[in-house]
Amino acid sequence: MTTDAQHQQHFDAKLAADTTIEAKDWMPDAYRQNLIRQIGQHAHSEVIGMLPEANWLTRAPTLRRKAVLLAKVQDEAGHGLYLYSAAETLGCSRQDIYQKMLDGKMKYSSIFNYPTLNWADVGVIGWLVDGAAIVNQVALCRASYGPYARSMVKICKEESFHQRQGYEAVMALAHGSEQQKAMLQDAINRFWWPVLMMFGPSDNDSPHSAQSMAWKIKRHSNDELRQKFVDNTVPQLEALGMTAPDADLAWDETSGHYRFGEIDWSELYQVIKGQGQCNHERLQAKRQAWENGAWVREGAMAHAEKNRTRAA
Ligand code: FAQ
């Protein structure tokens, strides 16, 4: 009979050898719970993340922009589905974690609690929000839990298309009229700091990072990924002829990185606590969609039940 100590030894050896942990493998309960927390939050972020951009579907400036945006928003729903499936492999129920999100007991990314006030916001979300998501998620393609890592590979391919469509949309504005340029700068000014906050609290204040990195779920710390994003993005910002709302943003020859100003962490914590500009509106929209979709779920369940009875 294998003891827990032997199981743990086997698990540790797999991590050390960079072999993925699979659904049927033994894993410490804390590892399982931490993954359900992170993957669940990630799935909720994808489906709540559909709302800010969907706000502009009916007002996209051209049919081409509308078709592209529609495809992108649908992709985000798909990402949510892959991630809910990955979470289910850990033994949780999709309905349970979804209900926890609706009840405000599980988090989703802070960034989706900001409003989309003009068309430029949609381009900026694709460019900056998806750009930040890619930096975070490329690292997660090597997460130690196999089903999560594999879902990330497909998601990253799609996020890469999202980022490019966003950059192409902001490029059009950057080369447009003075009014379009001003609209773009305004969107960047509002989204810049919230996007930096997406990477989570600074390393000193991140309660989960050390353990998650030891388990090889996270491969880089929050601050490392934030820095990588800034380094990737500033040249793109300059190419657009736009600026970031940060007087301290500057190239640092010695470190080979861009230095940036102090993040207002109180804002991140307020938003995480449910006091952001759109927290109430976002959860309300999801609760309403859940209630309005009850007849679809009931119909699907009845159909499945009928097939089961027929087969028996
Ligand atoms: N917002 O100890 P840490 C996307 C929470 S997908 C809200 O650092 P951890 C695609 C954290 O959960 C965007 N809460 O935690 C898209 C924890 O709370 P808990 C989502 C945050 O897990 C684009 C507490 O603070 N991406 O954008 C945030 O090690 C466009 C302490 O933090 C992912 O979820 C935040 N920003 O690191 C879709 C990626 N930051 O659980 C539509 C996967 C931290 O103790 C349109 N997740 N918290 O109550 C991760 O990589 C990690 O979970 C982090 C946080 C890096 C987000």
Side-chain angles (χ1 to χ4, degrees):
M1 185 74 166
T2 324
T3 64
D4 271 1
Q6 280 170 315
H7 279 313
Q8 180 73 49
Q9 213 173 29
H10 189 58
F11 173 83
D12 292 342
K14 281 190 133 188
L15 284 187
D18 270 334
T19 311
T20 53
I21 309 297
E22 297 298 332
K24 287 183 176 165
D25 291 343
W26 182 92
M27 60 188 87
D29 194 50
Y31 174 86
R32 185 186 298 278
Q33 295 311 325
N34 188 49
L35 277 168
I36 294 174
R37 178 192 68 81
Q38 177 167 329
I39 302 173
Q41 287 179 8
H42 195 164
H44 302 330
S45 304
E46 299 283 355
V47 296
I48 295 235
M50 296 166 73
L51 295 170
E53 288 167 288
N55 183 34
W56 281 88
L57 278 174
T58 53
R59 292 173 288 164
T62 65
L63 183 59
R64 182 173 85 87
R65 295 275 177 220
K66 183 175 175 134
V68 171
L69 184 60
L70 199 58
K72 180 199 189 293
V73 171
Q74 286 176 343
D75 281 352
E76 307 300 358
H79 298 174
L81 295 181
Y82 308 150
L83 287 162
Y84 284 122
S85 300
E88 281 181 313
T89 65
L90 291 154
C92 67
S93 117
R94 182 182 304 212
Q95 187 161 342
D96 178 56
I97 59 173
Y98 197 78
Q99 191 61 49
K100 285 193 171 113
M101 182 267 286
L102 293 180
D103 293 342
K105 292 179 183 156
M106 263 182 102
K107 296 188 169 75
Y108 59 88
S109 182
S110 51
I111 193 67
F112 303 118
N113 292 308
Y114 292 85
T116 39
L117 303 179
N118 67 44
W119 171 253
D121 292 15
V122 172
V124 165
I125 289 181
W127 168 40
L128 296 182
V129 174
D130 285 272
I134 293 171
V135 169
N136 172 279
Q137 292 172 182
V138 162
L140 290 172
C141 293
R142 292 193 303 117
S144 56
Y145 187 56
Y148 191 28
R150 289 189 289 274
S151 68
M152 278 300 126
V153 174
K154 182 151 170 41
I155 290 177
C156 280
K157 286 186 186 155
E158 292 175 352
E159 298 292 22
S160 173
F161 150 68
H162 297 169
Q163 198 267 353
R164 277 152 198 255
Q165 70 81 32
Y167 198 70
E168 196 258 347
V170 294
M171 237 168 25
L173 295 173
H175 293 109
S177 66
E178 287 311 309
Q179 204 182 355
Q180 285 173 311
K181 288 179 193 167
M183 199 164 85
L184 174 58
Q185 185 61 62
D186 171 59
I188 295 168
N189 291 348
R190 283 181 288 108
F191 275 94
W192 180 259
W193 290 110
V195 166
L196 295 194
M197 292 174 202
M198 277 177 74
F199 293 91
S202 71
D203 293 351
N204 294 336
D205 296 316
S206 161
H208 300 295
S209 278
Q211 182 60 75
S212 279
M213 285 176 74
W215 277 327
K216 296 189 175 176
I217 295 169
K218 283 167 92 161
R219 294 288 184 155
H220 301 282
S221 75
N222 297 354
D223 286 336
E224 283 167 359
L225 294 174
R226 192 171 4 252
Q227 182 67 58
K228 189 169 171 42
F229 170 78
V230 172
D231 290 346
N232 289 351
T233 308
V234 175
Q236 297 169 4
L237 196 61
E238 287 169 355
L240 290 169
M242 296 287 137
T243 57
D246 178 359
D248 296 323
L249 186 66
W251 175 250
D252 179 12
E253 200 65 55
T254 323
S255 66
H257 293 291
Y258 284 93
R259 267 186 281 114
F260 54 95
E262 186 59 30
I263 292 173
D264 177 4
W265 295 113
S266 65
E267 179 177 327
L268 174 66
Y269 291 118
Q270 284 291 103
V271 177
I272 290 181
K273 265 198 297 187
Q275 288 155 12
Q277 291 177 58
C278 299
N279 295 61
H280 180 74
E281 184 183 327
R282 300 292 184 236
L283 280 184
Q284 204 44 37
K286 281 293 163 194
R287 286 184 193 126
Q288 206 169 0
W290 182 250
E291 280 164 26
N292 291 346
W295 67 274
V296 179
R297 291 192 300 279
E298 281 160 21
M301 295 304 280
H303 183 68
E305 183 57 32
K306 199 167 147 195
N307 282 348
R308 215 180 1 255
T309 326
R310 259 203 212 132

